[in-house]
Amino acid sequence: MIRFLTAGESHGQKLLGILEGIPANLVFDEEYINNELKRRQQGFGRSERMKMESDEIVLLSGVNKGLTTGNPISIELSNRGYVKELDEIKRPRPGHGDLAGVLKYNQSDVRNILERASARETAMRVAIGSICKLFLKNFDINIYSHVIEIGGIESNYTIYDGATIDELRKADDSSVRVIQQNIEKKIVDKIKETIELGDTIGGTFEIVATNMPVGLGSHISWDNRLDGKIAQSIMSIPGIKGIEIGKGFECGKLYGSEVHDEIFHDGKKYTRKTNSAGGIEAGISNGENIVVRATMKPIPTLKKPLNSIDIDTKETSLARVERSDVCAVPSASIVGESMLAFTLAKEFLYKFGGDSIEEVKKNYESYMKYIFSR
Ligand code: EPS
């Protein structure tokens, strides 16, 4: 079983992460992890803070001579945006955790909530998720993402419109992680317009995991279902308000005959021609690519602030204005890849568990032999 914990605040000294349960003898590719951190820092619409930060991990434990030891892996990331003494905040921003947090934790300074609620924490999730990606790569499982809509401008070129995995890889070349160049321009213009307005925008991204084995997750109990676990992990990303698996909400508009993926056999294995289910049926991975979409709401910190209340005086006032992102959907898609990687690695180890990579591989290969004999 793997699990992770993070600690740290947005303008605190460091972010800390502990990942437990990664098997021994995994090649720990630090360059890959740092590159994943860079991918999260890209994206037109991020705050000036992103130019300041240059995220690179400091590895503290769990690796020897470039290989994991099976011990908990602990890492740290520094915050160049560290501020020793922060001023107090009294005017909660609608849409942020500010008000609900100060009430719940009986705080008089909104800082004590927002510094942790901040999406800065997702940098550590990407560091941890990229270790999970390295693990999954041993089994040829790869995870990709691209942005399919920002501020109402849709790409109309999702995995269900024929976008290929090779094309998804190209999202890394786009400043807003979209495949089509004409849409990229429209989205960049929309973000520029939003900056001018002193406003913010959200959007939707699509994540795909390839080469999935049949059999992760289970139908036997509500809390074993893979789709439920994926939904929880993606929904835990700050700002996410909606999630779909496969064709998701569109399924509610179609006939069963238009939705369900017919079953074939090519002489060696079962195949499907469509994947509306997004690779999961009855909470079990069915061997097709896992497809997840998530929608991020607009960032709550507005340059033209919304109405709020001063929590000390109870007087009507405008919400606090801080330096912030205008659009962080491209970054959120990388965080989404990482959270999916963590959930899939966890389920993979649950099914094929072992204390070393060699042991997991043996279990996996013997299961795959059985699957292909069916
Ligand atoms: C964030 C506000 C911005 C973002 C930050 C998340 O920070 P600042 O207020 O210091 O400009 O840049 O995201 C990150 C630092 C990051 O690494 O993603 C917020 O309020 O959530």
Side-chain angles (χ1 to χ4, degrees), residues 41-54:
Q41 291 195 275
Q42 315 289 313
F44 186 73
R46 297 299 314 270
S47 104
E48 287 298 302
R49 174 89 183 264
M50 281 304 94
K51 289 188 192 122
M52 194 159 102
E53 302 292 351
S54 164

Side-chain angles (χ1 to χ4, degrees), residues 160 243-253 276-278 291 293:
Y160 293 110
I243 175 155
E244 295 178 290
I245 307 279
K247 280 199 176 164
F249 293 116
E250 203 192 321
C251 295
K253 300 176 190 147
S276 302
V291 182
R293 289 167 179 180

Side-chain angles (χ1 to χ4, degrees), residues 135-150:
F135 167 76
L136 292 169
K137 278 176 189 292
N138 274 270
F139 305 90
D140 289 329
I141 297 172
N142 283 292
I143 298 176
Y144 306 93
S145 73
H146 67 142
V147 168
I148 58 174
E149 181 259 305
I150 284 181

Side-chain angles (χ1 to χ4, degrees), residues 10-11 40-41 46-50 52-53 55 81 93 96 114 117-123 299 301 322-325:
S10 183
H11 300 94
R40 191 198 69 95
Q41 291 195 275
R46 297 299 314 270
S47 104
E48 287 298 302
R49 174 89 183 264
M50 281 304 94
M52 194 159 102
E53 302 292 351
D55 291 333
R93 292 156 300 172
H96 217 287
L114 72 88
S118 160
R120 174 71 188 145
E121 184 258 353
T122 62
I299 302 277
T301 312
E322 296 239 339
R323 172 188 66 195
S324 189
D325 307 313

Side-chain angles (χ1 to χ4, degrees), residues 166-215:
D166 274 345
E167 285 175 314
L168 254 58
R169 283 199 189 100
K170 287 189 199 141
D172 275 10
D173 303 334
S174 157
S175 63
V176 287
R177 298 192 54 69
V178 294
I179 298 173
Q180 300 145 297
Q181 281 179 353
N182 61 329
I183 299 295
E184 172 172 26
K185 189 178 170 335
K186 280 189 193 159
I187 287 178
V188 168
D189 287 346
K190 177 81 186 182
I191 297 173
K192 283 182 181 162
E193 193 185 301
T194 309
I195 295 171
E196 289 303 309
L197 293 169
D199 219 319
T200 57
I201 38 175
T204 302
F205 53 87
E206 185 172 71
I207 323 169
V208 182
T210 60
N211 203 35
M212 290 301 303
V214 176

